[in-house]
Each structure stands twice: as structure tokens, then as C-alpha cells.
Amino acid sequence: MRRYNRGSWIRFALLFIPVPLVVVTFRLYLEAEHYYVLGGAFIFCAGLLYVLDDRAADKREAALKAARIARAAYQEARSAAQP
């Protein structure tokens, strides 16, 4: 779970830092069509990172489900071993 949360912050930073930082840094040098290109890049990056986050969330859910099953099996074995 911690790994997913750490990865989510990295993906969040990858989305909201690069493109807006370029826009703010070079705003005096950008032409009108550059804003369209950067907007398209932002939307593309958002979609890509959404897909990556969705895959990571699915992995996390599978790991949590496996952990719940293992914990239940352990509890059952432990209670069966006690007299």
C-alpha cells in the first residue's frame, strides 16, 4: 500500500509540474499555437498517467486480496492447531 501511495505522488507530480512549469517559465516567449501544443501534451500526459495509475491500483487490490486470503488461512490454521 505504501508503494502505491508513493508511486501515486510521483505520478501526480509528473502530471502537474512539467507542462505548467514550461508555460509559466516561457510565457513571454510562447506564441498562440504553442499553448495548443502544450495543452495537448498536458492532456496526453494526464491520460497516460491515468492508465498507469489504474494499473497500479489493480495490482494493489490484487495484493490486498491475496493478503486477506493468506491472513484468513493463517487464522484458520492457528485456531485448528490450538487445543
Side-chain angles (χ1 to χ4, degrees):
M1 181 123 147
R2 280 184 243 160
R3 184 177 177 188
Y4 171 77
N5 290 338
R6 183 175 44 243
S8 290
W9 277 106
I10 291 169
R11 287 185 290 275
F12 182 77
L14 286 174
L15 177 62
F16 287 107
I17 292 176
V19 174
L21 181 65
V22 168
V23 170
V24 168
T25 304
F26 297 109
R27 69 184 180 272
L28 298 176
Y29 303 104
L30 294 175
E31 299 294 328
E33 57 271 2
H34 294 140
Y35 287 102
Y36 292 113
V37 171
L38 290 171
F42 184 77
I43 291 171
F44 175 77
C45 289
L48 178 66
L49 293 172
Y50 178 78
V51 169
L52 291 175
D53 190 62
D54 195 39
R55 288 182 185 170
D58 290 343
K59 278 183 168 178
R60 182 187 67 133
E61 289 301 320
L64 288 174
K65 183 179 178 183
R68 278 194 292 274
I69 291 170
R71 182 171 288 144
Y74 168 75
Q75 292 295 336
E76 184 178 322
R78 186 174 180 195
S79 65
Q82 291 178 350

